[in-house]
Amino acid sequence: MSSPLEIERDLAELERVIADADRTGDHHAITRFLWRRLRLTNAEPLLARSPVPLDRIATSPTPVAEWLRIENGARFTLLERDPAERRAEQWSDRHLAQTVATLESGIRAPRGWTPLPLERALASADAWDRIVACAEILERQSDAPEHRAAIASVLDDPSVEVRRWAWLAVVRWSERDDDDSLRDAVRGGLTRDDPEVMPRIAWAAWHLGLADDAIRRIAPSLAASELAQREALQVVRWLGRRDEALRDRIEPLVESPSRDVSLDAISTLGIVAPERWTRLWSFARETTIAPARTTRRGVEVPAREMRTDRAFVAIESLRNAAPELDDEAVAVLVAHAADPALTELLAALGPRARAAVPALVARIDAAHDPESWAHDRTYQALGRIGGLEARIALMRASRTGRGVFGHHLAQLGADAVPAIAELLGESLPEPNRRVVLEVAAALGRGAEPLRELLSIELDAPSAPLRATACAALGALTVDDALAVRLASVFLACTETLPPFHRTYHLAARALAPIWAARCGHSSDLVALRCIEALGTTREYGRAHLDALRALAASQSVRGRAARSAASRIESPEPMFRPNQ
């Protein structure tokens, strides 16, 4: 809750941000500031000064929207984000979305309002006090019993906005816990006739394994307010149920006068009624004329035909329905494979779209720059569709200046093994060769036929190549001799590899569990080498600190090595020479 002093500081900071934005032209900085600072208790003064409209602050005023910031591209993901951190960030987004939704509904603080203590606010006759109290509990992300009891007291509040905030808090608790009190509260909520809040009750029920009860109660929300309709459609997409009663209620919503409801209904239709693909396909072909315009730099952009928003959402809906589409739908989509907008949809069809491969390859060949990043999704589709032609195209990409496209070979599974063997037998540039080794690592034990070729790469002159080969071999069955050899190679690589290097992370992540399992080996040679190597794995070794600490209690050579390894893992100091 914002105090008067904090509101003054926020206003002063907003003035500074606005001044900087006027000077630099970065007006998105104002939105970012409001995204971080906006609360119910400081909204009135901040919005009165802000040049950014309320509906531009949050991506969506629907807190049920699933906003997960996922790293861009799995092949570039090195460190998995802490789930608790990711969840906290997600709930920060949802708190902001509910704040915006409350303010957009027209609810504001009464004139002369002053904040009350939490207990008095929840018992207040003024709905604004109860809303602010629920918002404060949600913002704190508190699990205290007294706060749970406080929220339980307003779950059937006369104000729909209070109920929305209260059930949002219940959703957060149900996401983390599964106790009897929550189950009783949710089961009680499912019996209520409250279509405005039922999507949130169903959301909590989904977390608690009560989805079957929830799906039967959510239909009336599809005829309620726009916010309830959007949240109900989102929950239906999560539940992924093909329910005839829901389908008959959702299909008319595609023609809703609300643009947002219409787009959400189109997105949901592919999940609940994939047999209606012809209607989605008609939306997917909608186009409009974008008027001519002049860019900031004075460049004239002529009028052009482009797809509508409904078209792009319909294509995404068809992609979600891909596993359920019949052969007629697949034939129609394959016939339009030359359309770049359908690339991800064809990829979702997998091997059923194999007839589209020649068109995808021809699109790359006909491009002005075949090595452009614009073709990454096309190569990804080739990997997911598979087949001989796709494998040849991906092998060719692995030899080009954009060898990173070769990462998509991993999606071929076992079919990628002969391609990797052939590519490793060629004289590829180092970046391309490293990509091929990363594909082998991604195959896991499926790369077992490549063991001999991968072992040869352990003697490569380049440390990144050796480290990547370690990662690939670490995904196979590893005996004691190989574990010791991988430890020796990795330790040698750390002499030149900085801790932020991609190949360092790939190898450390794959090998840390292997070395940790051998810290107590009967052979001192194996144990000491594995302990030493484990000490260089930094954050990947933290999961195995208990094993090292158990050994560290000993005064033996193995105990001293374990203490040294544990201290290196825990030490915030860099373990590698800089500028290498």
Side-chain angles (χ1 to χ4, degrees):
M1 186 179 296
S2 303
S3 67
L5 184 59
E6 289 172 330
I7 292 174
E8 289 183 14
R9 284 201 296 261
D10 288 343
L11 275 172
E13 180 68 11
L14 178 60
E15 293 288 353
R16 186 191 65 76
V17 171
I18 292 173
D20 288 347
D22 290 340
R23 187 179 70 255
T24 63
D26 180 17
H27 292 281
H28 292 294
I30 304 172
T31 306
R32 291 194 296 270
F33 171 81
L34 293 170
W35 180 81
R36 293 192 308 270
R37 298 287 184 88
L38 186 67
R39 299 291 182 272
L40 290 173
T41 48
N42 66 7
E44 196 163 352
L46 288 184
L47 294 178
R49 179 64 189 93
S50 168
V52 179
L54 181 61
D55 59 2
R56 294 274 302 278
I57 295 172
T59 306
S60 167
T62 306
V64 183
E66 189 172 19
W67 296 344
L68 283 175
R69 285 175 168 77
I70 301 175
E71 288 78 2
N72 183 24
R75 65 180 186 278
F76 298 118
T77 301
L78 299 177
L79 295 174
E80 295 182 3
R81 297 181 60 197
D82 178 30
E85 177 188 351
R86 186 171 63 234
R87 193 183 302 114
E89 183 179 35
Q90 185 179 10
W91 276 100
S92 175
D93 287 346
R94 285 173 173 158
H95 184 279
L96 172 71
Q98 182 56 47
T99 299
V100 171
T102 298
L103 295 171
E104 282 192 330
S105 70
I107 297 176
R108 293 290 189 276
R111 183 178 297 276
W113 176 83
T114 55
L116 297 174
L118 194 62
E119 295 77 10
R120 288 178 55 197
L122 285 165
S124 170
D126 194 325
W128 178 259
D129 288 319
R130 302 195 298 276
I131 289 171
V132 170
C134 292
E136 183 178 355
I137 291 174
L138 190 62
E139 184 178 7
R140 290 181 188 177
Q141 300 193 18
S142 169
D143 294 314
E146 60 271 21
H147 289 159
R148 292 197 178 201
I151 289 294
S153 68
V154 293
L155 290 178
D156 55 355
D157 194 273
S159 167
V160 65
E161 208 61 36
V162 175
R163 298 199 303 275
R164 283 180 175 140
W165 277 101
W167 279 105
L168 196 60
V170 173
V171 169
R172 182 185 172 276
W173 292 324
S174 65
E175 184 182 84
R176 302 174 52 150
D177 300 324
D178 187 8
D179 59 35
D180 292 338
S181 61
L182 278 175
R183 283 182 169 274
D184 292 342
V186 172
R187 282 198 179 101
L190 289 172
T191 63
R192 294 174 181 158
D193 182 18
D194 193 353
E196 289 295 329
V197 186
M198 189 56 66
R200 302 190 185 193
I201 304 174
W203 184 11
W206 174 52
H207 283 305
L208 296 173
L210 303 173
D212 290 338
D213 298 331
I215 198 69
R216 290 190 292 268
R217 298 290 300 161
I218 206 169
S221 299
L222 295 169
S225 68
E226 179 180 334
L227 180 62
Q229 287 177 338
R230 294 192 63 194
E231 294 192 346
L233 290 167
Q234 176 69 55
V235 172
V236 171
R237 287 199 293 275
W238 282 346
L239 296 176
R241 301 299 178 87
R242 295 178 61 179
D243 185 280
E244 188 172 342
L246 284 177
R247 181 195 66 194
D248 293 340
R249 286 177 177 259
I250 290 171
E251 194 164 4
L253 292 179
V254 301
E255 303 296 346
S256 169
S258 165
R259 171 184 174 276
D260 291 331
V261 172
S262 175
L263 294 181
D264 282 346
I266 292 171
S267 178
T268 309
L269 193 60
I271 295 173
V272 298
E275 67 276 7
R276 303 295 176 90
W277 68 268
T278 51
R279 187 165 194 196
L280 291 173
W281 180 240
S282 68
F283 290 140
R285 303 185 70 184
E286 282 185 353
T287 58
T288 186
I289 301 297
R293 61 186 179 88
T294 304
T295 67
R296 294 180 187 177
R297 297 182 179 180
V299 178
E300 297 289 337
V301 179
R304 68 191 190 282
E305 186 179 46
M306 61 180 293
R307 275 188 163 88
T308 62
D309 289 342
R310 289 209 309 184
F312 285 112
V313 173
I315 291 171
E316 178 67 15
S317 186
L318 284 168
R319 188 179 71 82
N320 292 332
E324 306 291 335
L325 294 178
D326 58 27
D327 293 340
E328 182 184 357
V330 173
V332 169
L333 296 172
V334 167
H336 293 80
D339 186 346
L342 302 183
T343 302
E344 293 186 19
L345 173 52
L346 293 169
L349 292 172
R352 299 173 68 198
R354 198 152 287 175
V357 170
L360 296 175
V361 174
R363 190 199 304 167
I364 296 172
D365 292 341
H368 174 70
D369 180 9
E371 297 184 8
S372 167
W373 276 111
H375 301 306
D376 185 59
R377 291 182 180 178
T378 308
Y379 282 116
Q380 184 181 35
L382 289 172
R384 295 186 64 181
I385 293 170
L388 179 60
E389 289 181 87
R391 188 172 74 191
I392 292 172
L394 288 167
M395 288 177 65
R396 185 177 61 185
S398 300
R399 300 182 179 103
T400 65
R402 290 285 191 197
V404 70
F405 292 146
H407 273 108
H408 299 304
L409 274 169
Q411 298 184 73
L412 296 175
D415 290 342
V417 171
I420 296 171
E422 183 177 337
L423 290 167
L424 288 178
E426 298 176 7
S427 180
L428 295 175
E430 181 183 324
N432 301 51
R433 196 172 197 84
R434 200 165 71 208
V435 167
V436 174
L437 290 172
E438 289 183 13
V439 172
L443 293 179
R445 297 196 175 183
E448 191 68 45
L450 301 170
R451 180 184 289 270
E452 186 176 346
L453 288 172
L454 295 175
S455 298
I456 295 173
E457 297 296 325
L458 292 178
D459 298 320
S462 161
L465 282 179
R466 296 198 303 274
T468 313
C470 286
L473 285 165
L476 308 181
T477 303
V478 179
D479 57 19
D480 294 341
L482 180 57
V484 171
R485 187 181 180 198
L486 292 176
S488 299
V489 173
F490 185 73
L491 286 168
C493 290
T494 59
E495 294 293 326
T496 54
L497 276 181
F500 52 80
H501 199 282
R502 171 180 176 77
T503 56
Y504 158 80
H505 286 280
L506 289 172
R509 181 170 57 188
L511 297 174
I514 294 171
W515 292 328
R518 290 170 169 80
C519 288
H521 197 278
S522 57
S523 167
D524 281 342
L525 174 64
V526 174
L528 290 174
R529 204 60 170 160
C530 290
I531 290 171
E532 183 183 5
L534 184 61
T536 64
T537 57
R538 294 174 71 89
E539 55 268 28
Y540 301 103
R542 287 176 191 151
H544 310 288
L545 277 173
D546 289 343
L548 290 174
R549 287 170 181 150
L551 292 172
S554 168
Q555 296 302 315
S556 63
V557 175
R558 199 177 291 195
R560 289 196 297 273
R563 286 194 293 275
S564 174
S567 66
R568 295 185 74 187
I569 291 172
E570 294 176 314
S571 172
E573 298 298 324
M575 296 186 295
F576 299 90
R577 295 193 300 272
N579 302 322
Q580 293 290 329

Short mmCIF file of all heavy atoms in Angstrom, two decimals, residues 292-334:
data_model
loop_
_atom_site.label_atom_id
_atom_site.label_comp_id
_atom_site.label_asym_id
_atom_site.label_seq_id
_atom_site.Cartn_x
_atom_site.Cartn_y
_atom_site.Cartn_z
N ALA A 292 -1.34 3.47 -47.44
CA ALA A 292 0.01 4.00 -47.64
C ALA A 292 0.38 4.91 -46.47
O ALA A 292 -0.48 5.57 -45.87
CB ALA A 292 0.07 4.78 -48.95
N ARG A 293 1.66 4.93 -46.15
CA ARG A 293 2.10 5.76 -45.04
C ARG A 293 3.54 6.22 -45.28
O ARG A 293 4.23 5.72 -46.16
CB ARG A 293 2.03 4.99 -43.73
CG ARG A 293 2.90 3.76 -43.68
CD ARG A 293 2.69 2.93 -42.42
NE ARG A 293 3.51 1.73 -42.39
CZ ARG A 293 4.75 1.69 -41.90
NH1 ARG A 293 5.29 2.80 -41.41
NH2 ARG A 293 5.44 0.57 -41.92
N THR A 294 3.95 7.18 -44.47
CA THR A 294 5.32 7.70 -44.52
C THR A 294 5.98 7.44 -43.19
O THR A 294 5.42 7.78 -42.14
CB THR A 294 5.32 9.21 -44.83
OG1 THR A 294 4.60 9.45 -46.04
CG2 THR A 294 6.74 9.73 -44.96
N THR A 295 7.15 6.82 -43.20
CA THR A 295 7.85 6.51 -41.97
C THR A 295 8.46 7.77 -41.38
O THR A 295 8.47 8.84 -42.01
CB THR A 295 8.95 5.47 -42.21
OG1 THR A 295 9.97 6.06 -43.04
CG2 THR A 295 8.40 4.24 -42.90
N ARG A 296 9.00 7.66 -40.17
CA ARG A 296 9.63 8.82 -39.52
C ARG A 296 10.80 9.35 -40.34
O ARG A 296 11.14 10.53 -40.27
CB ARG A 296 10.13 8.42 -38.14
CG ARG A 296 9.03 8.06 -37.15
CD ARG A 296 9.63 7.68 -35.80
NE ARG A 296 8.63 7.17 -34.87
CZ ARG A 296 8.91 6.72 -33.67
NH1 ARG A 296 10.17 6.72 -33.24
NH2 ARG A 296 7.95 6.26 -32.87
N ARG A 297 11.44 8.44 -41.07
CA ARG A 297 12.59 8.87 -41.87
C ARG A 297 12.19 9.37 -43.26
O ARG A 297 13.04 9.58 -44.12
CB ARG A 297 13.59 7.72 -42.01
CG ARG A 297 14.17 7.29 -40.67
CD ARG A 297 15.17 6.18 -40.84
NE ARG A 297 15.76 5.78 -39.56
CZ ARG A 297 16.67 4.84 -39.41
NH1 ARG A 297 17.11 4.18 -40.48
NH2 ARG A 297 17.16 4.54 -38.21
N GLY A 298 10.89 9.50 -43.49
CA GLY A 298 10.43 10.03 -44.77
C GLY A 298 10.32 9.02 -45.89
O GLY A 298 10.16 9.40 -47.04
N VAL A 299 10.36 7.74 -45.55
CA VAL A 299 10.25 6.71 -46.59
C VAL A 299 8.78 6.45 -46.86
O VAL A 299 7.99 6.22 -45.95
CB VAL A 299 10.95 5.40 -46.15
CG1 VAL A 299 10.78 4.31 -47.20
CG2 VAL A 299 12.41 5.66 -45.85
N GLU A 300 8.41 6.46 -48.15
CA GLU A 300 7.03 6.21 -48.54
C GLU A 300 6.78 4.71 -48.61
O GLU A 300 7.46 3.98 -49.34
CB GLU A 300 6.74 6.85 -49.91
CG GLU A 300 6.86 8.36 -49.93
CD GLU A 300 5.72 9.03 -49.16
OE1 GLU A 300 4.67 8.39 -49.01
OE2 GLU A 300 5.89 10.18 -48.75
N VAL A 301 5.82 4.24 -47.85
CA VAL A 301 5.43 2.83 -47.88
C VAL A 301 4.10 2.74 -48.60
O VAL A 301 3.09 3.30 -48.14
CB VAL A 301 5.30 2.25 -46.45
CG1 VAL A 301 4.86 0.79 -46.50
CG2 VAL A 301 6.61 2.40 -45.70
N PRO A 302 4.04 2.05 -49.73
CA PRO A 302 2.78 2.01 -50.49
C PRO A 302 1.72 1.17 -49.78
O PRO A 302 2.01 0.37 -48.90
CB PRO A 302 3.21 1.35 -51.81
CG PRO A 302 4.41 0.53 -51.46
CD PRO A 302 5.11 1.29 -50.36
N ALA A 303 0.49 1.36 -50.19
CA ALA A 303 -0.60 0.54 -49.67
C ALA A 303 -0.37 -0.91 -50.06
O ALA A 303 0.16 -1.21 -51.14
CB ALA A 303 -1.93 1.03 -50.24
N ARG A 304 -0.74 -1.82 -49.16
CA ARG A 304 -0.51 -3.23 -49.45
C ARG A 304 -1.58 -4.08 -48.78
O ARG A 304 -2.21 -3.67 -47.81
CB ARG A 304 0.87 -3.66 -48.95
CG ARG A 304 1.01 -3.68 -47.45
CD ARG A 304 2.45 -3.84 -47.02
NE ARG A 304 2.58 -4.08 -45.58
CZ ARG A 304 2.50 -3.15 -44.65
NH1 ARG A 304 2.27 -1.90 -45.01
NH2 ARG A 304 2.64 -3.46 -43.38
N GLU A 305 -1.73 -5.27 -49.34
CA GLU A 305 -2.69 -6.20 -48.77
C GLU A 305 -2.01 -6.97 -47.63
O GLU A 305 -0.88 -7.40 -47.75
CB GLU A 305 -3.18 -7.18 -49.84
CG GLU A 305 -4.29 -8.08 -49.37
CD GLU A 305 -4.77 -9.02 -50.47
OE1 GLU A 305 -3.91 -9.62 -51.15
OE2 GLU A 305 -5.98 -9.15 -50.64
N MET A 306 -2.73 -7.16 -46.53
CA MET A 306 -2.17 -7.89 -45.41
C MET A 306 -3.30 -8.63 -44.67
O MET A 306 -4.47 -8.30 -44.81
CB MET A 306 -1.46 -6.95 -44.44
CG MET A 306 -2.34 -5.89 -43.82
SD MET A 306 -1.46 -4.80 -42.71
CE MET A 306 -1.05 -5.94 -41.39
N ARG A 307 -2.92 -9.64 -43.91
CA ARG A 307 -3.90 -10.40 -43.16
C ARG A 307 -4.46 -9.58 -41.99
O ARG A 307 -3.77 -8.73 -41.43
CB ARG A 307 -3.27 -11.69 -42.62
CG ARG A 307 -3.30 -12.83 -43.61
CD ARG A 307 -2.83 -14.11 -42.93
NE ARG A 307 -3.20 -15.28 -43.69
CZ ARG A 307 -2.46 -15.81 -44.66
NH1 ARG A 307 -1.29 -15.26 -44.96
NH2 ARG A 307 -2.88 -16.87 -45.32
N THR A 308 -5.69 -9.87 -41.64
CA THR A 308 -6.32 -9.20 -40.51
C THR A 308 -5.87 -9.87 -39.20
O THR A 308 -5.27 -10.95 -39.20
CB THR A 308 -7.84 -9.29 -40.59
OG1 THR A 308 -8.23 -10.68 -40.53
CG2 THR A 308 -8.34 -8.69 -41.89
N ASP A 309 -6.19 -9.22 -38.09
CA ASP A 309 -5.89 -9.81 -36.78
C ASP A 309 -6.61 -11.14 -36.62
O ASP A 309 -6.07 -12.10 -36.08
CB ASP A 309 -6.30 -8.86 -35.66
CG ASP A 309 -5.41 -7.63 -35.58
OD1 ASP A 309 -4.29 -7.69 -36.13
OD2 ASP A 309 -5.82 -6.63 -34.97
N ARG A 310 -7.87 -11.19 -37.10
CA ARG A 310 -8.62 -12.45 -36.99
C ARG A 310 -7.93 -13.56 -37.77
O ARG A 310 -7.95 -14.73 -37.35
CB ARG A 310 -10.05 -12.26 -37.52
CG ARG A 310 -10.92 -11.43 -36.65
CD ARG A 310 -12.39 -11.79 -36.74
NE ARG A 310 -12.93 -11.86 -38.09
CZ ARG A 310 -14.21 -12.08 -38.35
NH1 ARG A 310 -15.06 -12.24 -37.35
NH2 ARG A 310 -14.65 -12.12 -39.58
N ALA A 311 -7.30 -13.21 -38.89
CA ALA A 311 -6.62 -14.23 -39.70
C ALA A 311 -5.45 -14.84 -38.93
O ALA A 311 -5.28 -16.06 -38.90
CB ALA A 311 -6.14 -13.63 -41.01
N PHE A 312 -4.65 -14.00 -38.31
CA PHE A 312 -3.48 -14.53 -37.59
C PHE A 312 -3.91 -15.36 -36.38
O PHE A 312 -3.31 -16.40 -36.09
CB PHE A 312 -2.58 -13.38 -37.15
CG PHE A 312 -1.79 -12.77 -38.27
CD1 PHE A 312 -2.04 -11.48 -38.71
CD2 PHE A 312 -0.79 -13.50 -38.90
CE1 PHE A 312 -1.31 -10.93 -39.75
CE2 PHE A 312 -0.05 -12.95 -39.94
CZ PHE A 312 -0.32 -11.67 -40.37
N VAL A 313 -4.97 -14.93 -35.68
CA VAL A 313 -5.45 -15.71 -34.54
C VAL A 313 -6.04 -17.03 -35.02
O VAL A 313 -5.87 -18.08 -34.38
CB VAL A 313 -6.49 -14.90 -33.73
CG1 VAL A 313 -7.12 -15.76 -32.65
CG2 VAL A 313 -5.83 -13.68 -33.11
N ALA A 314 -6.73 -17.02 -36.16
CA ALA A 314 -7.30 -18.26 -36.70
C ALA A 314 -6.21 -19.25 -37.08
O ALA A 314 -6.35 -20.47 -36.87
CB ALA A 314 -8.18 -17.94 -37.91
N ILE A 315 -5.12 -18.76 -37.64
CA ILE A 315 -4.00 -19.64 -37.98
C ILE A 315 -3.42 -20.27 -36.71
O ILE A 315 -3.12 -21.47 -36.66
CB ILE A 315 -2.92 -18.86 -38.75
CG1 ILE A 315 -3.45 -18.48 -40.14
CG2 ILE A 315 -1.64 -19.68 -38.88
CD1 ILE A 315 -2.55 -17.54 -40.90
N GLU A 316 -3.29 -19.46 -35.67
CA GLU A 316 -2.80 -20.00 -34.39
C GLU A 316 -3.78 -21.02 -33.82
O GLU A 316 -3.38 -22.05 -33.25
CB GLU A 316 -2.60 -18.85 -33.41
CG GLU A 316 -2.13 -19.27 -32.03
CD GLU A 316 -0.72 -19.84 -32.02
OE1 GLU A 316 -0.01 -19.66 -33.02
OE2 GLU A 316 -0.36 -20.47 -31.01
N SER A 317 -5.08 -20.76 -33.97
CA SER A 317 -6.09 -21.71 -33.49
C SER A 317 -6.01 -23.02 -34.26
O SER A 317 -6.13 -24.12 -33.68
CB SER A 317 -7.48 -21.09 -33.65
OG SER A 317 -8.47 -21.91 -33.06
N LEU A 318 -5.80 -22.95 -35.57
CA LEU A 318 -5.62 -24.16 -36.36
C LEU A 318 -4.36 -24.91 -35.93
O LEU A 318 -4.33 -26.14 -35.92
CB LEU A 318 -5.53 -23.81 -37.85
CG LEU A 318 -6.86 -23.46 -38.53
CD1 LEU A 318 -6.60 -22.84 -39.90
CD2 LEU A 318 -7.74 -24.70 -38.67
N ARG A 319 -3.32 -24.16 -35.57
CA ARG A 319 -2.09 -24.81 -35.11
C ARG A 319 -2.36 -25.59 -33.82
O ARG A 319 -1.87 -26.71 -33.64
CB ARG A 319 -1.00 -23.77 -34.87
CG ARG A 319 0.36 -24.37 -34.59
CD ARG A 319 1.41 -23.30 -34.40
NE ARG A 319 1.22 -22.60 -33.15
CZ ARG A 319 1.65 -23.03 -31.96
NH1 ARG A 319 2.28 -24.19 -31.86
NH2 ARG A 319 1.45 -22.33 -30.87
N ASN A 320 -3.15 -25.01 -32.91
CA ASN A 320 -3.49 -25.72 -31.68
C ASN A 320 -4.34 -26.96 -31.96
O ASN A 320 -4.28 -27.94 -31.21
CB ASN A 320 -4.25 -24.79 -30.73
CG ASN A 320 -3.38 -23.66 -30.20
OD1 ASN A 320 -2.17 -23.81 -30.08
ND2 ASN A 320 -3.98 -22.53 -29.88
N ALA A 321 -5.12 -26.90 -33.03
CA ALA A 321 -6.00 -28.02 -33.38
C ALA A 321 -5.31 -29.05 -34.27
O ALA A 321 -5.93 -30.05 -34.64
CB ALA A 321 -7.25 -27.50 -34.08
N ALA A 322 -4.04 -28.81 -34.61
CA ALA A 322 -3.35 -29.64 -35.61
C ALA A 322 -3.45 -31.15 -35.35
O ALA A 322 -3.72 -31.92 -36.28
CB ALA A 322 -1.89 -29.22 -35.73
N PRO A 323 -3.27 -31.63 -34.11
CA PRO A 323 -3.35 -33.09 -33.91
C PRO A 323 -4.73 -33.67 -34.21
O PRO A 323 -4.84 -34.88 -34.48
CB PRO A 323 -3.01 -33.25 -32.42
CG PRO A 323 -2.26 -32.01 -32.05
CD PRO A 323 -2.87 -30.94 -32.88
N GLU A 324 -5.78 -32.84 -34.19
CA GLU A 324 -7.14 -33.33 -34.39
C GLU A 324 -7.67 -33.08 -35.79
O GLU A 324 -8.79 -33.50 -36.11
CB GLU A 324 -8.08 -32.64 -33.38
CG GLU A 324 -7.66 -32.77 -31.93
CD GLU A 324 -7.79 -34.20 -31.44
OE1 GLU A 324 -8.62 -34.95 -31.99
OE2 GLU A 324 -7.06 -34.57 -30.50
N LEU A 325 -6.91 -32.40 -36.64
CA LEU A 325 -7.40 -32.09 -37.99
C LEU A 325 -7.47 -33.34 -38.84
O LEU A 325 -6.59 -34.21 -38.76
CB LEU A 325 -6.50 -31.05 -38.65
CG LEU A 325 -6.48 -29.65 -38.01
CD1 LEU A 325 -5.52 -28.74 -38.74
CD2 LEU A 325 -7.89 -29.05 -37.99
N ASP A 326 -8.50 -33.43 -39.68
CA ASP A 326 -8.66 -34.60 -40.53
C ASP A 326 -7.81 -34.48 -41.79
O ASP A 326 -7.15 -33.45 -42.04
CB ASP A 326 -10.13 -34.82 -40.87
CG ASP A 326 -10.76 -33.61 -41.58
OD1 ASP A 326 -10.02 -32.86 -42.25
OD2 ASP A 326 -11.99 -33.41 -41.44
N ASP A 327 -7.83 -35.54 -42.61
CA ASP A 327 -6.97 -35.57 -43.80
C ASP A 327 -7.35 -34.49 -44.80
O ASP A 327 -6.47 -33.97 -45.50
CB ASP A 327 -7.07 -36.95 -44.46
CG ASP A 327 -6.45 -38.04 -43.59
OD1 ASP A 327 -5.65 -37.70 -42.70
OD2 ASP A 327 -6.77 -39.23 -43.80
N GLU A 328 -8.63 -34.16 -44.88
CA GLU A 328 -9.05 -33.11 -45.82
C GLU A 328 -8.43 -31.77 -45.42
O GLU A 328 -7.95 -31.02 -46.29
CB GLU A 328 -10.57 -33.00 -45.83
CG GLU A 328 -11.09 -31.96 -46.81
CD GLU A 328 -12.60 -31.80 -46.74
OE1 GLU A 328 -13.25 -32.53 -45.97
OE2 GLU A 328 -13.12 -30.91 -47.45
N ALA A 329 -8.43 -31.47 -44.12
CA ALA A 329 -7.83 -30.22 -43.66
C ALA A 329 -6.33 -30.19 -43.95
O ALA A 329 -5.79 -29.18 -44.40
CB ALA A 329 -8.09 -30.04 -42.17
N VAL A 330 -5.66 -31.32 -43.71
CA VAL A 330 -4.22 -31.39 -43.97
C VAL A 330 -3.94 -31.15 -45.46
O VAL A 330 -3.01 -30.42 -45.82
CB VAL A 330 -3.66 -32.75 -43.51
CG1 VAL A 330 -2.20 -32.89 -43.94
CG2 VAL A 330 -3.78 -32.88 -42.00
N ALA A 331 -4.74 -31.73 -46.32
CA ALA A 331 -4.54 -31.55 -47.76
C ALA A 331 -4.70 -30.09 -48.16
O ALA A 331 -3.93 -29.56 -48.99
CB ALA A 331 -5.53 -32.43 -48.53
N VAL A 332 -5.68 -29.40 -47.59
CA VAL A 332 -5.88 -27.99 -47.90
C VAL A 332 -4.68 -27.16 -47.46
O VAL A 332 -4.19 -26.28 -48.18
CB VAL A 332 -7.18 -27.48 -47.23
CG1 VAL A 332 -7.27 -25.96 -47.32
CG2 VAL A 332 -8.40 -28.12 -47.88
N LEU A 333 -4.19 -27.43 -46.26
CA LEU A 333 -3.07 -26.65 -45.73
C LEU A 333 -1.79 -26.93 -46.52
O LEU A 333 -1.01 -26.01 -46.80
CB LEU A 333 -2.87 -26.98 -44.25
CG LEU A 333 -4.02 -26.59 -43.33
CD1 LEU A 333 -3.80 -27.12 -41.93
CD2 LEU A 333 -4.19 -25.07 -43.30
N VAL A 334 -1.56 -28.19 -46.88
CA VAL A 334 -0.37 -28.53 -47.67
C VAL A 334 -0.41 -27.84 -49.02
O VAL A 334 0.61 -27.39 -49.55
CB VAL A 334 -0.26 -30.05 -47.81
CG1 VAL A 334 0.77 -30.41 -48.88
CG2 VAL A 334 0.12 -30.69 -46.48
#
